[in-house]
Amino acid sequence: MKFLEKIKKIIEYIKNLEFQKKIILALIVVLVIANLVLGIILITQKNVSVVKVESLINENKTSLIALGGNARRGSIKNTDYAFFKFTEDQKEIIKSTYDENGSCSVIIRVKNVPTKKQKELFNYKDSIIFKYGFLSDNQFTENGKLLKDDFELNRLNSIIANQVDSPEVVDYSIALQKDKNGILQVPQGFFVYSTIKSYIIGCCIAPANIGFDSSIDIPFYGFAPNGGVVDFSNSSFDFTGGSMVFPTVNTSLKTMPIYEISFTQNQENKSTLEDISSVEVLFGGEKFFVNNMKGVENVQIPSSALKESFSYVNLKEGKSEVDSIILKLGKQNKNEKEILVPIITDPGLILNYPSDVWRTVDYEIFEWDRFDRILFFDTKDYDVQNRFFRRLAFFVEKQGYKGKILTNQQLEGKHGFNAHDYSADSMAKFFNKAKEVNVQLNYEEELLKRILLENNLIYMDGDVVMPNEGGIVSISQETPGWSRRRLLAHEGWHTLYFRDVEFRNYVSAVYHTMDQYSLQFLKDYFASQKNLGYDQNDEYLMQNEFMAYTMQQPLNEVGKNFVNWSNWKSVFEYTPDLAAYVRNNKGRGFEDAAIALNEFVFDKYGIVCGNIAIVNKN
């Protein structure tokens, strides 16, 4: 009651004031309220950083929690830290990114703007330190306060860079660690330490990439959770911590990561037919040579193909030709019982890919890293290979059987091939014909269909199988090593023939203009080898096989190879005159054809006779 009376008195007092005094009093009230509001805003905003977080799964940018003035402003003036903390929503984004992609990293963008006085340090100091690392639970009190007093400048597990050598703007990334059960370890936040004036421009949550990339406008350096030292010369990188981030064994659901090496596009450094330009790369103790070819932007090397999957990588000869080396996850198989997704790689790594890291006992699938929808099957033995491809071989190529789907009883005792190649078109026809004549395909043939569908070589239009581009190759572990290399090249050339009409047209031109006696010898050779059984009435097949047999060996071995065949008893007895002709001219007709084909494929694909790979192990 007394309170209401006081209010009434104040109102009466205001009514009795002169107009000018009322205005002054109103202004005073407004200023008081404004100061109160501003104070509230400052209190609520003091922990809000100007540095915002963005992610691939959430387009909204949200502010980090600032632990101090540097973090709030997003800048460091001189030899100091900026401490940032994640909000609970940002931690959930981190977890979601990991769940969706199998890895996660936190990327920060830093701009170095040294003052005039700081620039003078560059003249007499070899090292100006920059650091970036995560903040863990044990660096906070139970009440969530940062323990700055216990924070060590030389703490482990951070990125360390020399700002003397640093570009003006750089992206630094640290991948998040998984524990032994594969559960993600989410940090509380991160810190940035800089000796010179720097701005933290932004922060991004993304799948983990480890390595360096100088090909983009803003150079990227990504590290494992154990951190490391940035080599701005891009001569080496420490990938040993990759095991903390990525799968360390191949399983049906998890495939180990891939090293992607990209080249500069400086044409002066590209290989020519006379001078192959290679980059020497050391993966731990293994030496590889990667050919820098025109039109080749990058190559992919599975970590599972290496003796040391996660190691130091050093670039030796030709290192200036490399723009980036990134370790990242490839596409993962999502079927626990069947392997449908291939490992992407250069064919040079397929032959020596260790079978003990295959994702299934019977076979492994690879995809040519430069040409999508070209799949390579390596099988445990001929028996597995036959279950996949023998019926298909008779349907597509075998004289007297083409276009027919044989039953299991009809296939009994018959031989297909020790290596196979088929176009998406011929395989689509095979599956449609099998359905039409109601022949029950075996498990491996149905599995092949699922693999082709998964990788978009074929697709379903209702109940009809339709082809896309591409093709498959199959070799077997049962084949001797020397023969596997030749067969891989032979079958690989076929897949390029399937997918490239320009190549087919060029092969046709060479086929019709080459020495016709030599060409007839090749046809007689096919006829003399009963295990081949090619349908010689199929012009497409004949031109395709002519090309592959001519290009399956190195250029300097082409003539010798056909001379060797001319000396086989089965060949000499079948076509004695032409066998003698090839021996006398030392296979010159085939050598001339190979030279023409070799020049075409080098200009078009950057590969040569006898070797479809651009990665070679020493």
Side-chain angles (χ1 to χ4, degrees), residues 501-513:
V501 65
E502 185 182 0
F503 185 33
R504 292 197 296 273
N505 290 339
Y506 190 82
V507 169
S508 182
V510 175
Y511 181 87
H512 287 108
T513 57

Side-chain angles (χ1 to χ4, degrees), residues 250-266:
N250 283 340
T251 67
S252 60
L253 294 177
K254 292 184 179 181
T255 303
M256 294 172 66
I258 291 173
Y259 290 93
E260 183 175 272
I261 302 176
S262 68
F263 300 100
T264 68
Q265 291 309 300
N266 183 351

Side-chain angles (χ1 to χ4, degrees), residues 241-252:
S243 59
M244 304 166 70
V245 181
F246 301 118
T248 56
V249 294
N250 283 340
T251 67
S252 60

Side-chain angles (χ1 to χ4, degrees), residues 437-462:
V437 298
N438 199 29
V439 168
Q440 180 63 49
L441 300 180
N442 63 35
Y443 169 76
E444 285 78 10
E445 290 164 331
E446 293 289 356
L447 172 59
L448 174 62
K449 183 179 180 181
R450 291 191 288 274
I451 292 170
L452 299 177
L453 286 167
E454 175 71 23
N455 293 284
N456 204 29
L457 276 78
I458 60 175
Y459 65 96
M460 299 302 300
D461 183 4

Side-chain angles (χ1 to χ4, degrees), residues 440-504:
Q440 180 63 49
L441 300 180
N442 63 35
Y443 169 76
E444 285 78 10
E445 290 164 331
E446 293 289 356
L447 172 59
L448 174 62
K449 183 179 180 181
R450 291 191 288 274
I451 292 170
L452 299 177
L453 286 167
E454 175 71 23
N455 293 284
N456 204 29
L457 276 78
I458 60 175
Y459 65 96
M460 299 302 300
D461 183 4
D463 291 334
V464 179
V465 180
M466 302 296 292
N468 281 317
E469 278 190 338
I472 65 100
V473 166
S474 172
I475 55 175
S476 173
Q477 294 276 312
E478 194 170 336
T479 302
W482 64 269
S483 181
R484 274 168 60 85
R485 178 169 296 279
R486 181 167 290 191
L487 288 173
L488 185 72
H490 179 108
E491 309 300 349
W493 289 123
H494 282 316
T495 61
L496 292 177
Y497 185 89
F498 293 150
R499 66 177 290 143
D500 189 348
V501 65
E502 185 182 0
F503 185 33
R504 292 197 296 273

Side-chain angles (χ1 to χ4, degrees), residues 20 25 84 147 242 256 265 285 292 517-518 547 552 556 559 570 583:
Q20 289 182 341
L25 181 61
F84 301 88
L147 296 169
M256 294 172 66
Q265 291 309 300
N292 185 11
Y517 292 115
S518 297
M547 175 277 301
Q552 68 184 10
N556 61 1
S570 58
R583 282 199 305 276

